[in-house]
């Protein structure tokens, strides 16, 4: 399967614990995005990378959140001192921007569902 | 503030019927409008997309109608099938590659 993969698919943690999620994008894609989706809502942008550079971060991404893409391939999203409000689906997407058409289609992974008790 | 507003929240249609989902946006800087389909437990999958210089785009049973002056666009699903039952999200994108998603429409196609 050459799509976007995310691990783990589910994570249950206690409030105050740290969690880390991994995303493996489609191999030739140089842009990678993180979104958060709560129940009954559309995905909300968190941050994106072009290669290894983190180019934009949402105000939703508090100091407890950090994302990395050290070699421009896979990415990790860490949440420190989790809170119950962090419970959500965390989605990763990747894209290969087409310079001529600028459509930059984003392909999403299956997500990691985080439950904070 | 929500940059893309989507309605209705849910929709029930009979097999073979037509589903229409509407979205409205505020920011005239948006230059790309995709629709995504999401099944339970899965990530969103691109269904069809349109740029604002086109008023309509059709792919199979799915059509986007785009009204630039009204800042509205809609998804039409023709000959609905039970397998179309999913949540549909519209989105818009400005110069930055991030998408602003609508709140979603849960479609249920009755056999």
């Amino acid at each position: 399967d050459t799509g976007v993969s995310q691990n783990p698919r589910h994570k249950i943690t206690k409030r105050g614990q740290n969690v880390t999620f991994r995303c493996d994008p489609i191999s030739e894609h140089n842009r990678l995005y993180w979104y958060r989706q709560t129940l009954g809502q559309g995905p909300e942008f968190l941050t994106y990378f072009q290669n290894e550079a983190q180019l934009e971060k949402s105000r939703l991404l508090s100091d407890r959140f950090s994302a990395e893409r050290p070699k421009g391939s896979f990415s990790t999203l860490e949440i420190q001192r989790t809170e119950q409000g962090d419970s959500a689906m965390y989605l990763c997407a990747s894209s290969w921007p087409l310079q001529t058409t600028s459509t930059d289609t984003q392909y999403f992974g299956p997500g990691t569902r985080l439950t904070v008790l | 503030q929500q940059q893309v507003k989507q309605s209705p929240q849910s929709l029930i249609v009979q097999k073979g019927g037509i589903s229409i989902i509407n979205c409205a946006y505020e920011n005239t800087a948006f230059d790309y409008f995709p629709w995504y389909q999401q099944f339970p437990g899965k990530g969103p999958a691109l269904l069809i997309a349109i740029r604002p210089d086109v008023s309509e785009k059709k792919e199979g049973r799915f059509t986007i109608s785009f009204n630039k002056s009204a800042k509205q666009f809609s998804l039409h699903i023709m000959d609905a099938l039970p397998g179309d039952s999913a949540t549909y999200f519209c989105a818009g994108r400005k110069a930055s590659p991030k998408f602003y998603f609508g709140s979603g429409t849960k479609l249920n196609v009755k056999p």
Side-chain angles (χ1 to χ4, degrees), chain B residues 74-106:
Chain B
S74 58
L75 175 69
H76 298 239
I77 305 174
M78 313 296 286
D79 300 321
L81 299 170
D84 295 332
S85 296
T87 300
Y88 293 81
F89 294 97
C90 61
R93 187 198 68 184
K94 294 187 282 188
S96 160
K98 70 185 182 187
F99 287 166
Y100 295 87
F101 282 87
S103 54
T105 297
K106 188 172 183 179

Side-chain angles (χ1 to χ4, degrees), chain B residues 15-104:
Chain B
K15 179 184 173 184
I18 301 172
S19 303
I20 301 175
I21 303 170
N22 301 299
C23 284
Y25 64 98
E26 291 295 323
N27 197 318
T28 55
F30 281 168
D31 64 356
Y32 177 63
F33 300 88
W35 283 89
Y36 279 81
Q37 179 188 56
Q38 186 176 30
F39 293 103
K42 305 287 187 181
L46 179 67
L47 193 61
I48 187 172
I50 199 167
R51 292 174 56 82
D53 52 352
V54 176
S55 61
E56 185 175 283
K57 183 173 182 181
K58 183 176 181 179
E59 290 184 1
R61 296 182 296 108
F62 302 93
T63 300
I64 300 177
S65 296
F66 190 86
N67 186 330
K68 189 174 181 179
S69 61
K71 293 188 286 185
Q72 294 176 346
F73 58 110
S74 58
L75 175 69
H76 298 239
I77 305 174
M78 313 296 286
D79 300 321
L81 299 170
D84 295 332
S85 296
T87 300
Y88 293 81
F89 294 97
C90 61
R93 187 198 68 184
K94 294 187 282 188
S96 160
K98 70 185 182 187
F99 287 166
Y100 295 87
F101 282 87
S103 54

Side-chain angles (χ1 to χ4, degrees), chain A:
Chain A
D1 189 346
T2 57
V4 177
S5 62
Q6 292 187 246
N7 288 288
R9 295 292 310 278
H10 303 273
K11 179 71 177 178
I12 300 174
T13 190
K14 293 183 179 179
R15 188 177 57 182
Q17 298 294 305
N18 300 343
V19 294
T20 300
F21 311 140
R22 176 176 170 131
C23 171
D24 287 89
I26 294 171
S27 59
E28 64 269 24
H29 287 184
N30 65 354
R31 282 185 179 165
L32 186 148
Y33 311 78
W34 286 98
Y35 289 83
R36 182 173 70 185
Q37 185 177 25
T38 53
L39 201 63
Q41 298 298 316
E44 293 176 290
F45 172 81
L46 293 178
T47 188
Y48 93 94
F49 293 83
Q50 178 143 327
N51 299 314
E52 64 273 11
Q54 188 173 18
L55 296 185
E56 188 169 349
K57 292 195 294 186
S58 164
R59 283 174 286 182
L60 291 174
L61 214 65
S62 74
D63 292 344
R64 297 184 297 105
F65 288 71
S66 63
E68 294 182 344
R69 195 182 183 199
K71 297 182 180 179
S73 56
F74 73 91
S75 175
T76 58
L77 177 68
E78 181 183 16
I79 308 174
Q80 296 182 327
R81 305 181 303 281
T82 53
E83 300 173 357
Q84 287 185 325
D86 297 331
S87 295
M89 174 80 86
Y90 289 85
L91 293 164
C92 175
S94 69
S95 71
W96 175 255
L98 300 176
Q99 299 299 322
T100 54
T101 65
S102 300
T103 53
D104 197 12
T105 298
Q106 295 184 20
Y107 296 87
F108 282 82
T112 295
R113 180 164 295 284
L114 172 66
T115 301
V116 181
L117 302 176

